[in-house]
Amino acid sequence: MESSEETSKNGKEGSKSHNRRRWRKDKGKASRILQSMDLRTMTQSLVTLAEDNMTFFSSQGPGETARRLSNVFAGVREQALGLEPALGSLLSVAHLFDLDPETPANGYRSLVHTARCCLAHLLHKSRYVASNRRSIFFRTSHNLAELEAYLAALTQLRALAYYAQRLLATNQPGGLFFEGDEGLTADFLREYVTLHKGCFYGRCLGFQFTPSIRPFLQTISIGLVSFGEHYKRNESGLGVTASSLFTSGRFAIDPELRGAEFERITQNLDVHFWKAFWNITEIEVLSSLANMASATVRVSRLISLPPEAFEMPLTSDSKLTVTISPPLAHTGPGPVLIRLISYDLREGQDSEELNSMVKSEGPRILELRPRPQQTSRSRSLVVHFHGGGFVAQTSKSHEPYLKSWAQELGAPIISIDYSLAPEAPFPRALEECFFAYCWAVKHCALLGSTGERICLAGDSAGGNLCFTVALRAAAYGVRVPDGIMAAYPATMLQSAASPSRLLSLMDPLLPLSVLSKCVSAYAGAETEEHPNSDEKALGMMGLVRRDTSLLLRDLRLGASSWLNSFLEFSGQKSQKTSAPTVEKEENEAPRESMRRSVSEAALAQPEGPVGTDSLKILTLKDLNLKSSSETSETPEMSLSVETLGPSTPSDVNFFLRPEDAREEAEAKEGLSAKDGSSRVSNAFPEGFHPRRTSQGATQMPLYSSPIVKNPFMSPLLAPDNMLKTLPPVHIVACALDPMLDDSVMFARRLRALGQPVTLRVVEDLPHGFLSLASLCRETRQAAELCVERIRLILTPPAAAAAAPPPL
């Protein structure tokens, strides 16, 4: 019996191993097809095979399975023939949106590549069916289910291609983002969010990414839907354990059920769910496992910076100083947490002054291992801002790859644990990050650095904070970092469609509704948009107590923040200034009114003429004209309040109109015979109907809060004179990331201004690859590229000139 059981067990393990090898082999074949065929050849081959398979299964009698197989191949043929011209038209002009010929990347290219991935998989599957359809081992049900799933994906990709054509016809030359009034933008989003998405989250999950990533995405999707079940029972998410995430076996064995549940979760659950889910990585068991696979460092300690103002010298005149006040917005003065990570114990890192600020982390109080000899201070310092959509994660989530960075760079790293939305919306995170940056510059000796070279580094939301902190440093007149390394940053928080953002329909890590909820939370509007979960949890009396306390808090802090803002900047400037005013709508809720006033006061500068006319929503063209007419002495922060305006639809033109875009304009005229003012519903040709979601209306705001147009929230909208103050910028983006166009457009703006900027785009990886650095070879290489860019910033100019150029 034991021998028989062992044989059976070995046989099952061998079968599983064989299935894994066959899966990798199949994915490899699809990848080779993608690389070896152009679009037209691939489409023609697929149509020929689809017709052959359709003819075969049509002759197999009246059976249901044969009929479905015949229909699915007929559908593949129809969608492939309809998709090929749309993709060809996009590909013919995609090069016009690249940063330069050496960086062929933008949303149009990514959309075409994703569609080609789907076509390549269907071509490979069609070949397999044609070769094995007569075999007794042919798994009819499995192949039918996979073909139907990829047909649904191909249909939706065709819809996205038509949307991209509409963007191409509507946008101004040089613009990747949807332009027009906010009413038209809302129409576009309203139409877009009704598309069916579940097909991308089941059998087709992650088909566009490198094969090494797909098993991880499948695990994440199973964990997500399982977490969703537990979250429905306990909306706080506090009772969910790591082991409970993967206990719903039905989601693991039924991809269609998993896809439908994934779609329901992404559309209907609020930002508090995503905050709880993304913070799962900080569960002690999971974080311990991640740290076991990371480099071992001698210093990893959490430090609490006291909320005390201090003086910083001005770069223009070191004899003059400016006061750096502690963060004030929304919650008043409070400590800022930073994590110090250093591979070696360096001078100053075990000083009494620093030890007095160390914050206990429970059983893992310190990872500091005293050594008889200390290493001298490093000449460099890295200041890191973590990602997480402004709503989730901390430095602990990003600690594994930061430890590797500390080892490879030989420099101490501080990672800022800024306050998160929706509890602490904009500009609280910016205030805390700027305060921590200035403190680090002033006290770099305590951190084990001489501060000769300082680099800001961040990913996603952290990349956004890198740019805005540098802009704020320039506005204050204090030292600006020597460079910025931003990985897949968010530079445009406006709810505007772009070719790459169309990919959010299928992205399992950044669905559009989730992006919108995170931005809404950061803008301070999330609580009003989605109160259902909070109301259920608090009850009526709880809501009354909560709203009353929040209103009183905001009234108190609003007055304090306004007063502090005026006192602070009146001390910095000697010339006469006028205080900005903010118009409020009569029907605006008191709490929202005060929240906006606090946010505006925290960034508003009383410099320059500010009247009622200046409170309009400025276009980027307006900002550029204004900045070009100002002298170099005009502070860059003076325009921040002017970008705020009423929360009603208005005419907004967000992007540049390059003078050298004639070729693109001519190509667009040849591509589009439609009137640019036609409605979004006319984007599809007659007879084509994409699949619509069955999950009901998506809970997401269609109109952006005016505050997202603030350049300290959306740096892409900053005027030229502000962007010219940025240090050298190095961006590492992902070709298949919905935020790709944020990076491309930001790099194009900097390049047009003559600012030093580089853009490297990695292929076939998802948003957030830094957190997956140890997962596979591709993510490790992408993480090494980020380290290379940081090293370039930390290298003194003389040494950098003598070194070979980076790849």
Side-chain angles (χ1 to χ4, degrees):
M1 285 292 291
E2 292 180 0
S3 176
S4 176
E5 290 177 358
E6 290 179 1
T7 301
S8 175
K9 182 178 179 180
N10 292 336
K12 292 179 180 178
E13 291 177 351
S15 176
K16 291 179 181 179
S17 177
H18 172 71
N19 289 337
R20 285 194 296 268
R21 287 195 301 271
R22 185 176 63 185
W23 180 80
R24 294 192 186 99
K25 184 178 180 181
D26 288 347
K27 299 301 179 184
K29 288 181 179 179
S31 298
R32 286 193 294 272
I33 290 173
L34 184 64
Q35 297 170 3
S36 63
M37 286 188 176
D38 60 32
L39 178 60
R40 175 156 298 180
T41 304
M42 185 186 299
T43 302
Q44 291 175 347
S45 300
L46 178 58
V47 169
T48 300
L49 282 167
E51 290 174 345
D52 178 65
N53 284 319
M54 181 174 57
T55 301
F56 174 82
F57 289 109
S58 296
S59 63
Q60 296 303 301
E64 176 65 16
T65 301
R67 183 188 63 81
R68 287 174 62 187
L69 280 166
S70 177
N71 289 341
V72 77
F73 281 111
V76 168
R77 178 185 180 278
E78 176 187 354
Q79 299 305 329
L81 288 174
L83 180 61
E84 192 268 335
L87 295 181
S89 67
L90 296 176
L91 198 57
S92 67
V93 297
H95 66 281
L96 301 173
F97 298 87
D98 297 332
L99 174 64
D100 52 46
E102 290 72 34
T103 315
N106 60 69
Y108 292 115
R109 290 185 183 275
S110 300
L111 184 57
V112 172
H113 174 80
T114 303
R116 292 184 71 238
C117 286
C118 189
L119 289 170
H121 186 91
L122 282 168
L123 178 56
H124 166 67
K125 179 57 64 176
S126 298
R127 286 177 176 173
Y128 174 82
V129 172
S131 301
N132 297 275
R133 61 198 181 194
R134 298 181 185 276
S135 172
I136 61 174
F137 299 105
F138 181 68
R139 296 191 298 166
T140 305
S141 298
H142 169 78
N143 287 288
L144 173 60
E146 188 167 356
L147 284 165
E148 288 179 335
Y150 274 90
L151 172 59
L154 190 66
T155 303
Q156 303 307 84
L157 284 167
R158 185 180 172 189
L160 296 186
Y162 291 137
Y163 281 140
Q165 285 186 314
R166 176 59 193 277
L167 291 176
L168 188 63
T170 306
N171 291 353
Q172 297 296 332
L176 283 170
F177 285 83
F178 189 89
E179 299 191 40
D181 62 52
E182 289 197 20
L184 190 58
T185 301
D187 288 344
F188 188 98
L189 292 175
R190 188 179 293 109
E191 171 77 11
Y192 173 78
V193 299
T194 63
L195 293 178
H196 170 66
K197 310 165 191 65
C199 61
F200 293 112
Y201 304 142
R203 295 180 189 271
C204 303
L205 181 70
F207 72 92
Q208 69 272 39
F209 300 123
T210 182
S212 304
I213 293 290
R214 293 168 194 162
F216 166 78
L217 293 178
Q218 290 176 353
T219 303
I220 289 297
S221 67
I222 295 171
L224 176 68
V225 295
S226 301
F227 185 85
E229 281 199 322
H230 291 276
Y231 187 84
K232 285 188 292 185
R233 303 189 191 103
N234 176 16
E235 289 187 357
S236 67
L238 299 177
V240 182
T241 62
S243 60
S244 68
L245 289 181
F246 308 100
T247 55
S248 298
R250 59 197 177 96
F251 293 125
I253 63 177
D254 191 338
E256 281 71 32
L257 179 63
R258 183 171 69 244
E261 180 67 7
F262 198 111
E263 181 180 11
R264 184 196 68 80
I265 288 174
T266 57
Q267 289 200 182
N268 299 317
L269 293 188
D270 60 15
V271 72
H272 300 284
F273 167 81
W274 295 98
K275 176 192 283 283
F277 180 72
W278 287 336
N279 285 336
I280 284 294
T281 55
E282 301 193 8
I283 291 178
E284 189 64 33
V285 175
L286 296 181
S287 62
S288 299
L289 290 174
N291 283 315
M292 287 174 60
S294 62
T296 301
V297 298
R298 296 185 179 176
V299 180
S300 179
R301 54 201 319 196
L302 197 62
I303 299 169
S304 178
L305 305 183
E308 300 171 356
F310 55 90
E311 300 295 316
M312 285 281 289
L314 296 178
T315 55
S316 58
D317 187 348
S318 59
K319 296 180 181 179
L320 301 178
T321 62
V322 62
T323 301
I324 306 300
S325 299
L328 296 172
H330 301 296
T331 55
V336 178
L337 299 181
I338 67 172
R339 183 177 298 276
L340 172 62
I341 299 174
S342 180
Y343 183 71
D344 296 306
L345 176 63
R346 298 185 178 273
E347 294 180 16
Q349 292 177 345
D350 62 346
S351 62
E352 291 185 5
E353 183 178 356
L354 192 66
N355 288 334
S356 65
M357 292 185 285
V358 171
K359 181 178 176 61
S360 173
E361 294 187 79
R364 296 173 64 238
I365 298 176
L366 288 177
E367 292 185 9
L368 179 62
R369 302 177 183 180
R371 293 292 185 269
Q373 295 182 349
Q374 295 181 353
T375 305
S376 61
R377 290 185 175 92
S378 170
R379 294 186 302 178
S380 305
L381 178 67
V382 177
V383 181
H384 172 263
F385 308 123
H386 67 80
F390 301 103
V391 303
Q393 301 191 339
T394 65
S395 61
K396 190 175 182 180
S397 311
H398 298 248
E399 189 179 11
Y401 72 78
L402 291 177
K403 289 181 176 181
S404 299
W405 284 11
Q407 179 183 10
E408 296 178 39
L409 295 169
I413 298 173
I414 63 166
S415 184
I416 317 303
D417 280 338
Y418 54 87
S419 297
L420 302 172
E423 293 79 10
F426 176 83
R428 182 71 188 198
L430 173 59
E431 289 184 351
E432 292 182 355
C433 289
F434 177 69
F435 180 82
Y437 164 75
C438 292
W439 186 93
V441 172
K442 185 177 179 67
H443 301 89
C444 56
L446 296 178
L447 303 174
S449 172
T450 62
E452 295 177 39
R453 304 290 294 178
I454 297 179
C455 171
L456 295 187
D459 69 307
S460 192
N464 174 288
L465 290 168
C466 285
F467 298 132
T468 54
V469 165
L471 290 173
R472 193 173 176 104
Y476 269 72
V478 300
R479 176 180 175 178
V480 174
D482 296 286
I484 296 173
M485 193 292 296
Y488 38 88
T491 65
M492 172 64 163
L493 300 189
Q494 180 88 20
S495 295
S498 81
S500 72
R501 292 192 180 185
L502 293 177
L503 298 177
S504 63
L505 186 80
M506 68 196 74
D507 195 294
L509 301 179
L510 282 181
L512 176 65
S513 58
V514 178
L515 282 173
S516 177
K517 291 166 186 174
C518 291
V519 172
S520 181
Y522 188 47
E526 189 278 336
T527 310
E528 287 74 29
E529 295 286 349
H530 309 296
N532 294 341
S533 60
D534 288 340
E535 291 176 359
K536 293 178 182 178
L538 293 175
M540 182 57 68
M541 292 307 299
L543 282 170
V544 172
R545 287 192 295 268
R546 181 197 66 179
D547 290 344
T548 301
S549 63
L550 287 174
L551 177 60
L552 293 175
R553 181 201 69 184
D554 284 340
L555 287 170
R556 175 175 54 84
L557 295 177
S560 173
S561 184
W562 273 103
L563 181 61
N564 181 81
S565 177
F566 295 148
L567 291 176
E568 177 182 351
F569 288 102
S570 62
Q572 294 177 27
K573 307 294 181 181
S574 60
Q575 62 189 73
K576 185 179 179 180
T577 60
S578 58
T581 60
V582 179
E583 297 178 355
K584 300 179 183 179
E585 297 183 7
E586 295 181 358
N587 59 347
E588 189 175 20
R591 194 177 82 187
E592 176 67 12
S593 301
M594 292 309 304
R595 173 172 289 178
R596 287 186 181 176
S597 68
V598 172
S599 301
E600 295 160 7
L603 288 179
Q605 302 298 306
E607 178 70 32
V610 179
T612 56
D613 293 340
S614 68
L615 292 178
K616 65 179 180 179
I617 302 176
L618 296 184
T619 69
L620 190 59
K621 183 178 179 181
D622 294 331
L623 293 175
N624 290 331
L625 291 174
K626 185 175 180 64
S627 64
S628 64
S629 64
E630 292 173 341
T631 63
S632 59
E633 288 79 20
T634 302
E636 288 79 359
M637 290 184 67
S638 63
L639 292 173
S640 61
V641 73
E642 296 180 4
T643 60
L644 301 174
S647 56
T648 56
S650 58
D651 294 332
V652 183
N653 176 25
F654 304 111
F655 298 98
L656 296 173
R657 300 168 184 249
E659 296 179 358
D660 58 351
R662 296 177 182 175
E663 181 185 357
E664 179 188 341
E666 293 174 359
K668 285 170 56 179
E669 289 176 3
L671 281 172
S672 177
K674 295 183 179 181
D675 183 4
S677 62
S678 61
R679 307 308 293 178
V680 178
S681 58
N682 296 330
F684 302 142
E686 185 177 355
F688 173 72
H689 302 286
R691 305 191 180 195
R692 300 296 179 179
T693 181
S694 59
Q695 299 298 329
T698 301
Q699 295 183 8
M700 61 172 284
L702 297 177
Y703 292 96
S704 297
S705 169
I707 202 171
V708 301
K709 303 178 182 69
N710 189 308
F712 288 94
M713 192 170 183
S714 295
L716 182 57
L717 300 181
D720 290 352
N721 65 326
M722 289 181 68
L723 293 182
K724 287 179 180 179
T725 65
L726 287 176
V729 171
H730 301 276
I731 302 175
V732 180
C734 306
L736 301 179
D737 182 5
M739 310 301 291
L740 170 64
D741 289 336
D742 291 51
S743 296
V744 175
M745 287 298 296
F746 196 69
R748 289 178 64 180
R749 281 213 63 197
L750 294 177
R751 180 73 58 84
L753 294 172
Q755 290 291 102
V757 58
T758 66
L759 172 64
R760 285 294 302 273
V761 181
V762 298
E763 303 291 335
D764 302 332
L765 291 180
H767 184 93
F769 64 75
L770 277 176
S771 298
L772 312 176
S774 60
L775 188 63
C776 62
R777 175 177 55 85
E778 292 85 354
T779 54
R780 284 193 296 272
Q781 291 175 345
E784 290 169 2
L785 179 60
C786 295
V787 174
E788 174 194 300
R789 297 297 165 178
I790 297 176
R791 186 179 290 113
L792 189 64
I793 296 171
L794 298 181
T795 304
L807 298 177

